[in-house]
Amino acid sequence: MNNTISNSYLLFRLQEELFAVSVHKVLEIIETGDEHHITHLPKAASSIAGVVNFRGDVIPVVNSRLKFDMDNYSEGEKFVVIILNLQINEQEHVVGLKADKVVDVIEIKNEDVKPIPEVGQGYNSDYIEGVVNRANKFIMLLNLENAISSNEIVKLKEDTVED
Amino acid sequence: MVFCFFFNLYIQLFSMDVNDLSKFKHLFIEEATNLLNSMERIILNLEKNPSDVELIQEVFRVMHTIKGVSGMYGYTAISDLTHHIENIFDLIRSGSLKVDKEILDTTLMVVDHLFALLKDEKVEDPSLALKQKELIHWCVQFIKDAKGKIFIKEFVESDSELVTYNVILHTHQSVVDRRINLFYAIKDLAAIGEIKNISPLPVQDDNEERWSIFIVGDFSFDDIEEALMFVYEYCIIRKVADYNIFDEEQSDIVHEELEKEELDYIATSNRPKSTVINKSVGSNTNKVIESIKQNITRISVDSSKLDYLMYLVSELITTSSQLNISSRSNSVATMLPHIQKLDRLSKLFRNNALEIRLIPIGDVVPKFNRLVRDVSNSLGKEIEFVTEGMETELDKSSIDMVTEPLVHMIRNSLDHGIELPEERLAKGKSEKGTIKLKASSSGNDIFIEVSDDGKGLDKDRIIEKALEQGVLDRSEDLSDEQVFNIICKSGFSTNEVVSSLSGRGVGMDVVKQKISEMRGELDICSRPGEGTKFTIKLQQSIAILDTLLVRSGKMKFLLPLSDIEVCSQMLYSNIDKRIKYSTVDFENELTPFVSLRNLFDISEEKPKMAKMVVIRKNNKRLAFFTDEIVGQHQAVIKPMGELVKKHEEISAASVLGNGEIAFLLDTNMINQNVYKKSAL
């Protein structure tokens, strides 16, 4: 196995946490910054922020803060929508993901990806593939396919104890 | 049709680069597929009218065409086989032979085989190669026999010496290592007697193969031993009978045996089964669905529709150049008429495009015919398949989608509906059961019915089984409709014996799911002892829908125009008073209603008057209250993806001209929910 292969990842922030998702899955980033671009879909699950018109198609947008069990965006708070093309059960799913901010695009070497730490805060390995330490910051590599296809609110940390 | 094909091909061969054969190969495959599809229809017709000279001629011509052209493209296996079939039909044509069941059965098998050969030009699949040999052998033998009969005329053949042997050929790696060609062994076998049946048997791993071969002829054990000289150590040879077990009277026993073997095979292995010359009933459904899907990659279009399309294109070009010129003038007034014309043209284009996509449902009927024929044969039931209204047209995508549910429904009728002949006679019905496929249209709605005159659904048995299988938790107070809906639940099956056909508990739930995916409705109607009728209601076109755009607060919604009966208005204050009753008085009729504001928790400030849209669904009225009726909208329906698929009230979305999104209300579901609520 060649560990020196590196891949490009899009780095985004949700509250204080940094997350990474492979750039191959990213179709576009909509810097909307305002709520009006998302059409509210009544009676949908709370983690669904609504739908957007993306290149003529109607695609759902996931409110990632609610999906990952964080505090919701406050009124007027800025956000971006990352449009992703995910392969779930051999089918293509185009979905939008709300994020606070897109931070960077970085190269991550495969050898730098560490398995999630087993001690301390227990991260849920269903949704996090691994962690990377960059400049003393932990970046979580998300398994968005699992997170999105789950109908539930996803708890990234298995125990809810915060420090 | 056949000559057309020739003509087409030659025209294109001469008008384009002759060396570039690969392009035409594609064309050949498509046309050959069409021809083979027509063969199925012809042969099934021939079965009904065995002496129809026209049909016999047609088979001959089709085989002849395929033979000629396949040779050109290097499909030698195809031209070989069609050559033999052509010979047989030549004899029939000249009157020396009569059409019988054996010939027709084999011809159908040949058609299936040719379909497979189209995909596997070089015959790389060993089971295909084996089948090829087998079929050709049959043809040669048949012609030999036939010619013999012609010479001997009425002289009776002596068949008292015939014996039947069964050979189990077990080939594992060592056979391959020793580079023994099994086909020679089989060929040698074929030389001493007639190979009646070759079928694969279950194996433990992928490197080995086991075949069961039945051989009939006038020979001794030593002869077999000699024929199998090189593979003798891999064979189990046993004598089955001192007569030809494949004779008419005995054939049933063998079939039973084989069916048992097949079941064993299915039980021990999940690998796809490739039965050589035995009918493979188990995979029939999938085969039919698969072949229909392949069938409609190309559609034939009425040339007048294409002429109209050309006319529209020329209009479009003129209009756009006019628009270009007038846009230089900077005045809206000069541009406006052209813009209006463009608008009108795009509507005409839309209608034209939709019409081109419409194909008659009858196009898939031969496949259903075939299914009924094969399955009823193997079940020992006598069934007539009747069709009506097959000229009814449906969108191509709808045909693709509705095929699978229809196959399941027809098989349900075959398997569970129609009784065995004895049972039918005992009940005072005619021996022959009937399955009817009927299609009709009314407005934008298409109705497809599958009905049978079988035993009908047994309510008590369904309830009993449902309780047993845990899909139901109470048995009292169930309406017919509720009971019949149980059979659409996943994991439900009443058939005790798991046959290779159905009764595996998949079927009706797939039907229901597929139909609701198409926003259609399924209605089940059944009378004990008289039969069952399934009715599917579909929209003719599911991609574009004429809708009414309404607004509530900031949200925009769409209602299918075909559902709408009347529009009116009412004071919001009056509606609020009636909200707890969910009904309003409209035209002196107590009408259930839904306020979109209430349904979707829209809290923005209310106008004084509410607009009312009354729809009719399942013959029941329902009123919608909203703030504003914006107008008509041709909605290009966009699914919203798996994430929001389970939404009850909203079935899809559409993008408006200004980029905004409006939601299509699922009038079916809302209507059902409202009436369910008011029934409580």
Side-chain angles (χ1 to χ4, degrees):
Chain A
M1 203 171 80
N2 193 349
N3 276 336
T4 54
I5 293 176
S6 67
N7 290 305
S8 300
Y9 285 84
L10 181 85
L11 213 59
F12 63 93
R13 194 164 54 77
L14 286 178
Q15 292 186 320
E16 286 81 41
E17 312 268 15
L18 279 175
F19 295 93
V21 56
S22 168
V23 288
H24 298 293
K25 294 173 187 167
V26 179
L27 295 178
E28 193 174 307
I29 295 155
I30 306 178
E31 310 252 357
T32 64
D34 90 81
E35 198 67 56
H36 299 295
H37 282 83
I38 298 181
T39 309
H40 171 65
L41 176 65
K43 294 209 167 184
S46 65
S47 60
I48 304 285
V51 292
V52 288
N53 169 6
F54 176 67
R55 300 178 192 169
D57 282 329
V58 178
I59 62 158
V61 176
V62 175
N63 185 334
S64 36
R65 281 221 204 150
L66 290 181
K67 183 82 189 174
F68 297 133
D69 205 21
M70 299 172 173
D71 295 332
N72 197 5
Y73 292 91
S74 53
E75 190 85 35
E77 195 174 342
K78 295 230 166 186
F79 60 86
V80 297
V81 177
I82 305 168
I83 309 282
L84 298 157
N85 188 4
L86 303 177
Q87 290 277 339
I88 301 173
N89 299 330
E90 288 167 24
Q91 276 190 309
E92 283 198 357
H93 289 257
V94 179
V95 294
L97 190 72
K98 263 175 133 178
D100 298 7
K101 200 181 171 198
V102 169
V103 182
D104 203 356
V105 173
I106 56 165
E107 293 283 314
I108 297 177
K109 284 188 193 140
N110 283 358
E111 59 182 1
D112 289 342
V113 179
K114 300 280 182 278
I116 49 175
E118 283 176 19
V119 285
Q121 292 172 327
Y123 285 97
N124 192 335
S125 58
D126 286 349
Y127 308 115
I128 295 172
E129 284 168 345
V131 291
V132 175
N133 194 343
R134 272 283 162 97
N136 279 334
K137 276 182 190 151
F138 268 112
I139 301 166
M140 283 179 263
L141 266 53
L142 274 177
N143 183 337
L144 280 166
E145 286 81 359
N146 280 355
I148 298 284
S149 58
S150 154
N151 290 323
E152 316 282 309
I153 299 291
V154 167
K155 290 200 162 104
L156 295 178
K157 292 165 192 173
E158 273 169 340
D159 53 339
T160 48
V161 184
E162 296 278 336
D163 39 20
Chain B
M1 178 188 181
V2 177
F3 298 119
C4 235
F5 169 50
F6 258 140
F7 185 68
N8 266 338
L9 210 70
Y10 283 133
I11 291 285
Q12 298 194 38
L13 270 177
F14 290 119
S15 61
M16 290 166 84
D17 184 5
V18 184
N19 292 326
D20 192 4
L21 277 177
S22 65
K23 248 183 216 161
F24 300 111
K25 222 168 204 173
H26 181 65
L27 193 75
F28 163 69
I29 292 175
E30 274 181 356
E31 294 288 355
T33 308
N34 278 343
L35 285 174
L36 289 174
N37 276 328
S38 72
M39 275 298 285
E40 283 197 326
R41 179 181 51 80
I42 298 164
I43 292 165
L44 292 174
N45 273 339
L46 199 55
E47 196 167 35
K48 283 183 200 145
N49 319 300
S51 50
D52 191 322
V53 183
E54 266 303 303
L55 291 171
I56 294 166
Q57 285 282 12
E58 184 112 33
V59 177
F60 180 77
R61 277 200 302 259
V62 170
M63 284 301 167
H64 185 81
T65 310
I66 296 178
K67 180 184 92 176
V69 189
S70 58
M72 260 169 68
Y73 292 107
Y75 287 83
T76 44
I78 293 185
S79 56
D80 248 23
L81 186 54
T82 43
H83 170 73
H84 285 96
I85 292 290
E86 187 191 347
N87 283 346
I88 290 180
F89 275 87
D90 194 30
L91 287 174
I92 298 171
R93 204 164 60 142
S94 62
S96 324
L97 260 180
K98 285 236 176 309
V99 172
D100 64 15
K101 198 166 174 334
E102 193 184 1
I103 293 178
L104 293 177
D105 279 346
T106 313
T107 315
L108 279 177
M109 267 184 252
V110 168
V111 170
D112 285 346
H113 183 65
L114 290 176
F115 270 122
L117 285 179
L118 279 176
K119 284 190 209 131
D120 189 359
E121 180 189 340
K122 300 263 179 330
V123 204
E124 277 153 353
D125 181 349
S127 70
L128 260 188
L130 203 60
K131 190 170 181 183
Q132 168 88 2
K133 295 227 169 196
E134 178 59 26
L135 284 169
I136 287 182
H137 173 76
W138 181 89
C139 292
V140 172
Q141 196 64 36
F142 195 85
I143 291 171
K144 219 175 14 180
D145 286 359
K147 286 208 171 131
K149 270 183 209 147
I150 297 162
F151 286 128
I152 310 164
K153 293 275 175 187
E154 298 300 316
F155 286 79
V156 188
E157 273 182 282
S158 87
D159 58 352
S160 55
E161 300 300 319
L162 290 180
V163 285
T164 308
Y165 272 88
N166 176 249
V167 178
I168 305 274
L169 191 56
H170 187 165
T171 74
H172 40 78
Q173 198 54 38
S174 58
V175 180
V176 183
D177 291 342
R178 285 175 54 193
R179 296 181 199 286
I180 292 171
N181 194 336
L182 285 179
F183 301 132
Y184 286 117
I186 288 164
K187 205 174 144 198
D188 290 344
L189 259 189
I192 59 161
E194 190 178 350
I195 294 180
K196 286 290 190 179
N197 186 302
I198 300 186
S199 39
L201 295 175
V203 286
Q204 301 304 324
D205 72 52
D206 282 353
N207 289 328
E208 55 179 354
E209 269 181 66
R210 279 170 71 213
W211 296 90
S212 157
I213 303 165
F214 281 94
I215 175 164
V216 175
D218 179 9
F219 52 79
S220 64
F221 188 86
D222 292 344
D223 292 334
I224 284 209
E225 217 175 337
E226 200 178 326
L228 295 171
M229 218 159 98
F230 295 105
V231 288
Y232 187 66
E233 52 198 292
Y234 306 112
C235 293
I236 304 163
I237 304 167
R238 65 192 158 111
K239 193 171 181 179
V240 181
D242 275 326
Y243 53 85
N244 178 2
I245 60 161
F246 290 86
D247 251 9
E248 288 297 321
E249 294 86 2
Q250 270 81 26
S251 62
D252 287 352
I253 311 162
V254 183
H255 268 273
E256 254 176 50
E257 252 181 48
L258 286 170
E259 227 118 85
K260 226 173 80 193
E261 269 177 6
E262 258 190 58
L263 276 179
D264 288 345
Y265 182 77
I266 292 164
T268 51
S269 160
N270 291 324
R271 283 201 314 155
K273 163 170 60 88
S274 55
T275 309
V276 176
I277 203 134
N278 188 25
K279 251 179 273 158
S280 58
V281 239
S283 58
N284 238 330
T285 318
N286 293 337
K287 207 174 79 193
V288 172
I289 295 167
E290 193 58 25
S291 69
I292 288 168
K293 278 180 183 159
Q294 284 167 4
N295 195 2
I296 333 184
T297 49
R298 266 160 77 108
I299 53 180
S300 55
V301 179
D302 187 347
S303 65
S304 68
K305 288 178 187 171
L306 287 182
D307 292 344
Y308 188 59
L309 181 67
M310 264 331 281
Y311 160 76
L312 288 177
V313 169
S314 61
E315 280 290 290
L316 180 71
I317 291 165
T318 338
T319 314
S320 83
S321 55
Q322 282 167 342
L323 194 61
N324 263 331
I325 295 164
S326 61
S327 67
R328 281 175 214 146
S329 71
N330 269 339
S331 130
V332 178
T334 54
M335 278 165 72
L336 205 58
H338 303 308
I339 291 171
Q340 279 164 351
K341 192 168 180 200
L342 213 54
D343 191 45
R344 201 174 57 87
L345 272 176
S346 69
K347 277 192 189 120
L348 292 174
F349 262 113
R350 178 200 94 149
N351 290 342
N352 185 253
L354 287 182
E355 263 176 40
I356 285 176
R357 286 175 59 87
L358 293 181
I359 45 179
I361 190 163
D363 279 13
V364 290
V365 164
K367 299 284 177 189
F368 293 146
N369 259 323
R370 180 79 194 277
L371 177 80
V372 172
R373 179 191 181 277
D374 288 0
V375 176
S376 59
N377 268 350
S378 71
L379 286 173
K381 293 179 180 176
E382 279 184 52
I383 293 165
E384 194 180 358
F385 186 60
V386 192
T387 56
E388 193 184 317
M390 287 302 109
E391 69 286 348
T392 309
E393 289 185 317
L394 256 171
D395 191 272
K396 181 188 170 302
S397 59
S398 305
I399 293 244
D400 288 349
M401 283 179 79
V402 84
T403 304
E404 193 178 338
L406 284 179
V407 169
H408 283 299
M409 282 151 77
I410 291 172
R411 286 190 60 157
N412 245 304
S413 289
L414 284 165
D415 215 24
H416 309 285
I418 306 279
E419 311 91 329
L420 290 166
E422 311 86 68
E423 214 176 310
R424 290 184 65 88
L425 283 174
K427 282 183 186 168
K429 293 183 186 178
S430 78
E431 219 174 331
K432 212 169 193 178
T434 308
I435 293 178
K436 188 170 171 188
L437 178 71
K438 183 182 162 192
S440 58
S441 66
S442 123
N444 194 31
D445 289 331
I446 304 284
F447 296 90
I448 306 172
E449 270 175 35
V450 175
S451 55
D452 65 61
D453 61 350
K455 55 186 168 221
L457 295 170
D458 186 341
K459 270 182 75 174
D460 297 333
R461 180 119 173 274
I462 292 172
I463 293 172
E464 187 190 313
K465 279 277 160 188
L467 289 169
E468 210 172 279
Q469 293 171 6
V471 279
L472 190 73
D473 45 19
R474 66 193 172 104
S475 62
E476 61 289 345
D477 302 335
L478 290 170
S479 70
D480 280 10
E481 205 185 329
Q482 281 167 313
V483 175
F484 296 153
N485 271 323
I486 295 173
I487 66 168
C488 301
K489 293 213 166 118
S490 62
F492 178 79
S493 171
T494 57
N495 210 10
E496 274 134 22
V497 188
V498 175
S499 74
S500 59
L501 293 162
S502 57
R504 286 162 189 280
V506 288
M508 286 313 290
D509 57 325
V510 178
V511 171
K512 179 99 182 177
Q513 186 204 333
K514 286 271 165 188
I515 292 168
S516 42
E517 267 174 34
M518 304 166 69
R519 292 187 294 116
E521 296 168 30
L522 175 68
D523 184 54
I524 305 169
C525 180
S526 179
R527 289 229 180 92
E530 287 177 31
T532 313
K533 183 165 90 181
F534 299 96
T535 310
I536 304 176
K537 184 182 168 191
L538 292 175
Q539 241 111 48
Q540 188 169 44
S541 170
I542 50 171
I544 302 179
L545 202 63
D546 275 314
T547 58
L548 191 72
L549 177 64
V550 301
R551 181 185 61 81
S552 279
K554 277 185 209 140
M555 311 243 7
K556 299 213 165 118
F557 299 99
L558 300 165
L559 286 158
L561 210 55
S562 55
D563 294 347
I564 295 171
E565 205 171 65
V566 65
C567 293
S568 180
Q569 56 181 355
M570 209 174 266
L571 282 169
Y572 255 122
S573 52
N574 282 350
I575 299 160
D576 289 343
K577 280 182 214 152
R578 299 288 306 171
I579 210 112
K580 60 181 166 197
Y581 305 108
S582 295
T583 52
V584 286
D585 184 19
F586 178 68
E587 291 177 343
N588 295 323
E589 205 183 300
L590 219 49
T591 311
F593 77 88
V594 168
S595 164
L596 294 181
R597 281 182 165 272
N598 279 49
L599 187 63
F600 296 121
D601 294 320
I602 297 165
S603 51
E604 289 119 41
E605 204 182 319
K606 256 185 221 172
K608 202 170 162 203
M609 291 299 276
K611 300 286 188 289
M612 178 184 198
V613 181
V614 181
I615 66 158
R616 187 173 280 278
K617 201 84 197 179
N618 299 328
N619 250 331
K620 288 171 190 158
R621 262 185 166 177
L622 176 69
F624 283 91
F625 286 109
T626 179
D627 294 359
E628 188 195 353
I629 293 174
V630 183
Q632 230 175 297
H633 172 65
Q634 284 196 2
V636 180
I637 301 300
K638 302 276 182 188
M640 289 186 290
E642 301 282 319
L643 264 185
V644 284
K645 208 177 170 185
K646 294 232 165 71
H647 207 291
E648 284 227 315
E649 284 91 2
I650 293 169
S651 57
S654 176
V655 179
L656 302 178
N658 60 1
E660 272 184 78
I661 294 167
F663 298 112
L664 179 69
L665 294 174
D666 190 337
T667 45
N668 257 334
M669 278 308 288
I670 296 177
N671 204 6
Q672 264 180 37
N673 287 347
V674 167
Y675 275 90
K676 217 184 278 167
K677 227 191 285 170
S678 59
L680 286 174

